[in-house]
Amino acid sequence: MKKILELSDIEARKYLLKEESYFNFDLPKYFTFQELINKVSEKIENKNLSDFYSKRQNNSGEIKTNYPSDFEEVNYIYLNNKDGKFSWRPYQLIHPALYVSLVHKITEKNNWDFIKKRFEEFSKDSKINCSSIPLKSEDELSDKATNVGNWWRSIEQK
């Protein structure tokens, strides 16, 4: 296994643009996002998400840009119940275009190097122990299984 912070900007982008990195909950097999993530990634390559914002003219004639924050339901909200009783929890699935845009932005070479450097600085403080940094599996286990196993070993067993 390899920490995501050990990956290059290109490897990190590839890791984060996998369907398994986009969401970490179980869905029926017929829900697939990989093709959508790939197409959005191709479309926004070397562009900003703002290049795709729509503009409209309001009643007073001025041109107004529509931002994702202008819309309340841009992400998909769903309820999950782990025990079949009364503990329903709302979760949100981030809009794929917002997710892919964020991945592209943080994995730009300068940004990725900055993030890695900051985490390196944090790790020098003995009071900071970040056990939730995503791990990339390098064997037959899925990334999710690798991360769960690491969490179990580094947190629950301590």
Side-chain angles (χ1 to χ4, degrees):
M1 69 183 155
K2 216 180 211 185
K3 287 184 180 179
I4 192 172
L5 297 172
E6 296 171 10
L7 303 177
S8 71
D9 54 313
I10 295 165
E11 293 170 321
R13 180 174 290 183
K14 186 176 177 183
Y15 172 84
L16 291 169
L17 290 177
K18 289 191 309 186
E19 181 177 58
E20 297 81 18
S21 297
Y22 173 55
F23 67 93
N24 65 354
F25 51 89
D26 295 325
L27 286 173
K29 290 185 187 288
Y30 51 83
F31 282 98
T32 59
F33 293 97
Q34 193 62 61
E35 186 177 346
L36 175 63
I37 290 168
N38 293 345
K39 285 183 179 184
V40 171
S41 183
E42 288 173 21
K43 188 82 168 170
I44 69 169
E45 186 73 37
N46 300 316
K47 295 181 182 125
N48 292 314
L49 186 61
S50 59
D51 296 340
F52 300 95
Y53 291 170
S54 65
K55 298 184 186 318
R56 63 178 170 79
Q57 192 170 3
N58 65 14
N59 293 338
S60 61
E62 71 179 309
I63 303 295
K64 181 171 180 341
T65 302
N66 290 321
Y67 299 98
S69 59
D70 294 336
F71 304 95
E72 288 187 32
E73 297 177 2
V74 71
N75 297 327
Y76 181 73
I77 299 171
Y78 66 97
L79 297 173
N80 189 20
N81 180 304
K82 285 192 173 191
D83 61 7
K85 296 183 182 175
F86 301 108
S87 59
W88 289 89
R89 294 183 180 163
Y91 290 94
Q92 285 194 41
L93 182 62
I94 187 172
H95 191 287
L98 296 175
Y99 177 79
V100 171
S101 175
L102 177 62
V103 168
H104 277 245
K105 188 56 78 179
I106 68 173
T107 58
E108 288 174 4
K109 177 107 177 88
N110 291 338
N111 294 339
W112 188 244
D113 289 344
F114 176 79
I115 290 168
K116 288 169 57 172
K117 184 178 179 186
R118 289 296 290 153
F119 271 91
E120 194 176 298
E121 291 170 17
F122 298 147
S123 70
K124 291 177 183 172
D125 186 336
S126 62
K127 294 177 184 152
I128 298 175
N129 181 14
C130 184
S131 297
S132 60
I133 296 171
L135 300 171
K136 180 179 183 287
S137 177
E138 295 191 315
D139 57 22
E140 71 282 346
L141 291 176
S142 68
D143 292 336
K144 183 177 181 180
T146 299
N147 282 285
V148 169
N150 181 63
W151 179 262
W152 181 79
R153 283 186 303 279
S154 65
I155 300 298
E156 292 194 14
Q157 294 304 301
K158 283 186 179 180

